[in-house]
Amino acid sequence: MAFTFRDPACTAAGCVQEPHLMHHRAGPSLVLSRTLQQPRSALTVALLFILAITLIDLLLPDSVHLGDLLIMAPVLTSWYASSRVTSLVAMMAVSALTAIFLVRQSVNPPQAAALLATSVAVVIARYLTEHGQRKLVQLRAVAEAAQRAILPPLPHRLGPLHLASTYLAAEDEARIGGDLYAAVRTPTGTRLIIGDVRGKGLPAVGIAAHTISTFRDAARRLTTLPELAAYLDSSVRSNASEAVSPEQTEEAFVTATLLEIPDAEPVVRSVTCGHPPPLLLRANDVVPLEAGQPAPPLGLGALTQTTYHLDTFALRAEDTLLLYTDGAIEARDTDGEFYPLAKRLTPQDHRHPTALLNHLRGDLLHHVGGRLDDDAALIAIERQPADGTAPSADQSTCDEWGVSMSFDMRSRSTVDLGERPSAVQQ
């Protein structure tokens, strides 16, 4: 289920703002609603079929019997109509066969038994299928409410940023897994997190919910991203000891990227904890913002003497930043080829965040044949100039692509790590 509305900034581009595209397949709720909305047409078609078979059977010689074809009426009806409609059609078919017996003054017990048995079987099967579909719809409604409480859609505007988010579930029944993201406003800018909890099931959902809640609270209190990363690492580690069994504690971790985008500076600062690098889209270029010294995933910081390094990159007006989880880049087609995310971002036709994610969502599902093996979350961020004009070159605190700076929390020192993001040296 996705809620769609028009965004004035997007209308000019001819796109539809869909801030949270939760699920990529139509579920049983849609099928069930369509089924229950067509009882009259189903009855009409079935009635015409039964009348035709009855009349033709009565007009043919006694040696020719078409009554056996009446069994098709309830069987075919059960494919596209409700159990109530199917039962009505079954009764009409039995009544038609009875009329044929009365007119012909002869009874065919095997024919009557086959029609009765088949009618009862298809009505029961249709009822059970319908009952299961209704239960699935109810479960999905509960999951939808839980999802929106745990992982609500990102607002389409935060300060000078335009945002869009999408979550593609791997399973039909799933609404949320271990992928997570969140964004909060601070007095000086916007902070975001995107991450992926190792594993699946309720433990992964619990860790994801805890991580999001902790980030929203701590992102407003802690002054630097390295401090925030260290705090999240400790929080994930303590929560994992309660969420999973003791022998699985060291296997419960979260790959994540933390970002900070100041309102007054055309830059983005990041701390990477074992997560794929964001992609920066500028004109015809797509550049991965590689971390100078990535830290271990959140929850594993105690295993080594972890240092969280702060990388800084240029993020100018009209630049677009794409964040994603590994479900997007590890999606395979029928030949086993990974989805080439960066190569699908070169054209300039989909630079608005919503249009970009709509394009990627359709392209990704086409690549995998409509079904993902793992959940995938994506966030697109476009920076807008506060005064409606792009900042000049002398306003930038970085060079063309950005200077990656490493901030060591232990030594409180900074080291220049290079110029271009793709050429950052550790």
Side-chain angles (χ1 to χ4, degrees):
M1 182 183 297
F3 295 90
T4 304
F5 62 91
R6 289 284 181 182
D7 179 13
C10 183
T11 303
C15 60
V16 177
Q17 178 75 12
E18 298 183 53
H20 197 60
L21 307 170
M22 269 302 305
H23 211 272
H24 59 271
R25 289 181 293 273
S29 57
L30 180 59
V31 176
L32 184 60
S33 63
R34 289 176 177 173
T35 296
L36 298 180
Q37 290 172 0
Q38 299 176 345
R40 292 184 179 180
S41 60
L43 279 173
T44 301
V45 172
L47 179 59
L48 292 176
F49 177 80
I50 292 172
L51 286 176
I53 295 299
T54 302
L55 293 176
I56 296 174
D57 187 280
L58 294 176
L59 293 176
L60 292 175
D62 293 344
S63 58
V64 179
H65 301 281
L66 296 182
D68 291 336
L69 296 178
L70 291 173
I71 203 172
M72 295 175 60
V75 172
L76 294 177
T77 303
S78 67
W79 290 359
Y80 58 87
S82 66
S83 58
R84 182 178 180 181
V85 174
T86 302
S87 63
L88 290 176
V89 172
M91 288 188 289
M92 288 191 297
V94 173
S95 300
L97 185 61
T98 303
I100 292 175
F101 290 160
L102 291 176
V103 173
R104 288 183 178 272
Q105 296 183 348
S106 63
V107 178
N108 187 335
Q111 188 181 60
L115 179 58
L116 285 172
T118 302
S119 298
V120 172
V122 295
V123 170
I124 292 176
R126 182 58 195 166
Y127 174 79
L128 294 176
T129 301
E130 204 171 86
H131 180 68
Q133 289 176 342
R134 286 196 176 98
K135 289 186 66 176
L136 183 57
V137 169
Q138 294 173 352
L139 290 174
R140 283 192 169 185
V142 174
E144 179 82 8
Q147 179 274 326
R148 290 195 168 270
I150 297 174
L151 191 67
L154 297 181
H156 70 282
R157 185 72 184 260
L158 283 175
L161 307 178
H162 276 165
L163 300 95
S165 59
T166 184
Y167 190 104
L168 299 177
E171 299 295 336
D172 286 331
E173 295 80 5
R175 287 289 175 177
I176 182 173
D179 290 9
L180 61 95
Y181 53 74
V184 299
R185 286 288 292 165
T186 68
T188 59
T190 302
R191 284 181 171 178
L192 302 99
I193 183 175
I194 186 167
D196 186 2
V197 181
R198 182 190 182 280
K200 297 181 179 181
L202 290 179
V205 173
I207 295 175
H210 174 81
T211 304
I212 292 173
S213 176
T214 304
F215 170 80
R216 288 174 179 158
D217 174 64
R220 297 182 177 92
R221 295 187 291 103
L222 301 178
T223 57
T224 68
L225 284 187
E227 291 174 344
L228 177 59
Y231 183 81
L232 289 175
D233 175 80
S234 175
S235 179
V236 169
R237 190 164 59 252
S238 61
N239 177 255
S241 63
E242 302 174 0
V244 299
S245 58
E247 60 273 10
Q248 295 179 320
T249 300
E250 293 185 357
E251 299 179 2
F253 56 83
V254 182
T255 65
T257 295
L258 307 176
L259 298 103
E260 181 178 69
I261 304 177
D263 292 344
E265 299 178 74
V267 298
V268 55
R269 304 183 182 101
S270 67
V271 171
T272 301
C273 302
H275 200 74
L279 298 177
L280 178 64
L281 286 69
R282 178 179 297 166
N284 286 322
D285 294 313
V286 178
V287 177
L289 303 185
E290 299 284 356
Q293 296 185 32
L298 301 176
L300 301 182
L303 299 181
T304 61
Q305 291 186 346
T306 302
T307 300
Y308 295 97
H309 296 271
L310 185 67
D311 298 303
T312 302
F313 306 100
L315 183 66
R316 299 176 177 176
E318 300 184 356
D319 284 353
T320 299
L321 197 62
L322 180 67
L323 315 177
Y324 54 93
T325 59
D326 57 10
I329 58 176
E330 294 180 358
R332 297 174 182 264
D333 61 12
T334 55
D335 297 327
E337 297 293 332
F338 290 113
Y339 179 67
L341 178 60
K343 293 182 179 179
R344 304 300 176 99
L345 297 174
T346 302
Q348 298 184 6
D349 300 334
H350 310 287
R351 288 306 166 89
H352 187 279
T354 301
L356 174 63
L357 292 194
N358 284 341
H359 163 70
L360 288 178
R361 185 177 67 133
D363 193 50
L364 176 59
L365 293 178
H366 176 74
H367 178 81
V368 299
R371 188 179 186 85
L372 292 169
D373 293 329
D374 189 13
D375 297 349
L378 301 100
I379 302 174
I381 307 166
E382 182 184 39
R383 187 182 188 100
Q384 297 293 313
D387 58 356
T389 59
S392 60
D394 57 1
Q395 291 177 304
S396 177
T397 60
C398 300
D399 65 5
E400 180 183 1
W401 288 103
V403 176
S404 177
M405 305 293 292
S406 175
F407 183 83
D408 189 328
M409 289 185 61
R410 295 175 299 178
S411 62
R412 301 285 181 177
S413 63
T414 57
V415 181
D416 187 347
L417 295 177
E419 299 181 355
R420 191 177 177 89
S422 59
V424 170
Q425 301 294 326
Q426 298 188 15

